[in-house]
Amino acid sequence: MSVIDNAVYVDGKRAAAPDSVDSAVEALQGCRADHGGEAPAFCWIGMLRPGVDEIHQVAAEFGLHALAIEDTVNAHQRPKLERYGSTEFVVLRPARYVDSDEVVEIGEVHLFLGPDFVITVRHAAEPQLGEVRDRLESDPDLLSHGPMAVLYAVLDRVVDDYFPVLDGLQDDIDEIEVQVFRGDPNVSRRIYQLTRQVIAFQRAVEPLQEIFVELRARFAKSGDAPDLELRRAMRDVIDHATRVRERVEGFRDLLGNILTVNSTLVAQRQNEEMTRLTEAGFAQNEQMKRVSSWAAILFAPTLIAGIYGMNFDEMPELHWALGYPMAIGLMLLLGLGLYLAFKHNDWL
């Protein structure tokens, strides 16, 4: 069996430890009889990753609703509080921050609360509900409130475990801000991954508000004086959960702003690079203008010299006495003309 602990409590104190789920009800009835049937008594069965057959066995023993059992078998439920007759079915999503991988691991805890029984089903190793049980057993006055005291203690543990997650996410966001302004090219991927972590965490935290609204309404209808301290303790958990929810919402908004700033900085760096490339291209174009201009100036005398360097007997002005000075003068004139034309167009 996946039963981690099985105990019967009478007036806030452990009175028996049944060795099986089947014997839990009998042990509860026996403890009530031993105390005259007047002292508050209930049994608390804690289970870790139970199989389908084990869940159905517990359901048959305590008369749990089929829909609640279906949710427990399938798991992966959102946090909620549902009532089936005299039985409450509560789903919580505890979380822990894994610093080595920089991820948030979301677990799942189901609670069945009846008038005289509590069944806790964990689908993950965390949180350690054994520590919650030890805390309650060390405070019989609180545990004497019965199943609602167990619900309070589990809620308190789950919400308290959210704060280290918030601290881990805050550290990641601080590191991302440094990466953004340092121009790290991999920061966009990390922003996206952290945003997914925050969204998953928010889905675990946000529905708690609905649970607390329902609990407030039920506590308001209760006029029993012994429940006063339990209501005060529950209000403290609600306050902590509200703080967690507000910080998670702030993280999501902050990551959206960081992503916007990163996109702006990336676009700015791209614009600066394009400006630099444009300026480099302009400078290169100016150099090409100068090279082309001088090449054209040198081409003119080369053309004339090439024509008159051909070895043909019959050529105009070949035997003319002024032919040589005219060729030299034509070279200089063409070169000067091209120089002035290029200079006028700012190519030189």
Side-chain angles (χ1 to χ4, degrees), residues 254-275:
L254 183 58
L255 284 170
N257 293 334
I258 290 175
L259 185 60
T260 301
V261 170
N262 183 61
S263 300
T264 302
L265 292 176
V266 169
Q268 181 179 350
R269 286 193 290 269
Q270 289 176 342
N271 291 336
E272 291 174 352
E273 182 66 15
M274 289 299 297
T275 301

Side-chain angles (χ1 to χ4, degrees), residues 119-139:
I119 302 168
T120 54
V121 179
R122 284 187 293 149
H123 292 279
E126 298 292 337
Q128 294 292 336
L129 294 186
E131 299 174 0
V132 175
R133 190 187 290 262
D134 292 341
R135 172 197 170 190
L136 286 172
E137 290 180 351
S138 66
D139 188 355

Side-chain angles (χ1 to χ4, degrees), residues 38-248:
E38 297 180 358
F42 71 97
C43 65
W44 180 0
I45 302 174
M47 308 181 74
L48 173 63
R49 298 191 182 98
V52 176
D53 293 338
E54 294 172 309
I55 293 175
H56 284 291
Q57 179 185 353
V58 174
E61 190 71 30
F62 291 92
L64 305 180
H65 197 276
L67 292 177
I69 294 302
E70 181 181 353
D71 288 344
T72 300
V73 170
N74 295 330
H76 303 293
Q77 305 296 315
R78 69 187 297 273
K80 60 183 177 179
L81 187 154
E82 295 178 343
R83 188 177 184 87
Y84 298 98
S86 61
T87 303
E88 306 279 356
F89 176 58
V90 182
V91 177
L92 301 175
R93 300 301 301 270
R96 72 186 187 100
Y97 183 80
V98 183
D99 189 63
S100 58
D101 299 327
E102 294 185 341
V103 297
V104 179
E105 288 187 352
I106 307 295
E108 190 166 352
V109 175
H110 295 182
L111 294 92
F112 296 89
L113 300 101
D116 55 3
F117 68 86
V118 177
I119 302 168
T120 54
V121 179
R122 284 187 293 149
H123 292 279
E126 298 292 337
Q128 294 292 336
L129 294 186
E131 299 174 0
V132 175
R133 190 187 290 262
D134 292 341
R135 172 197 170 190
L136 286 172
E137 290 180 351
S138 66
D139 188 355
D141 291 338
L142 178 59
L143 190 55
S144 64
H145 292 296
M148 290 305 294
V150 177
L151 175 59
Y152 151 72
V154 174
L155 277 169
D156 186 50
R157 174 59 185 269
V158 169
V159 172
D160 284 347
D161 286 348
Y162 285 157
F163 286 97
V165 177
L166 293 174
D167 293 338
L169 292 174
Q170 182 66 67
D171 291 341
D172 287 343
I173 292 175
D174 293 341
E175 292 174 3
I176 284 176
E177 288 178 336
V178 173
Q179 287 181 277
V180 166
F181 290 101
R182 196 171 56 197
D184 191 331
N186 297 321
V187 71
S188 296
R189 179 187 296 272
R190 191 176 181 190
I191 293 173
Y192 172 75
Q193 292 173 341
L194 187 59
T195 301
R196 292 188 60 184
Q197 298 291 325
V198 171
I199 291 174
F201 186 40
Q202 188 176 30
R203 289 173 179 169
V205 174
E206 193 71 27
L208 289 179
Q209 184 68 13
E210 300 174 11
I211 296 177
F212 290 135
V213 168
E214 179 68 20
L215 290 176
R216 276 200 191 101
R218 296 185 186 181
F219 283 146
K221 296 177 182 178
S222 176
D224 298 335
D227 289 336
L228 178 60
E229 290 302 320
L230 182 59
R231 292 200 299 270
R232 288 174 177 170
M234 191 66 77
R235 283 198 297 269
D236 183 64
V237 177
I238 294 172
D239 178 65
H240 290 174
T242 301
R243 288 165 52 193
V244 171
R245 189 179 70 255
E246 291 174 349
R247 285 191 65 185
V248 173

Side-chain angles (χ1 to χ4, degrees), residues 297-336:
I297 292 172
L298 294 175
F299 175 73
T302 303
L303 176 63
I304 296 173
I307 293 173
Y308 280 93
M310 294 185 292
N311 297 320
F312 292 103
D313 291 334
E314 299 296 333
M315 290 185 66
E317 291 84 25
L318 184 61
H319 301 287
W320 184 33
L322 298 178
Y324 177 75
M326 185 196 72
I328 297 298
L330 185 59
M331 292 179 187
L332 295 175
L333 183 62
L334 286 175
L336 180 61

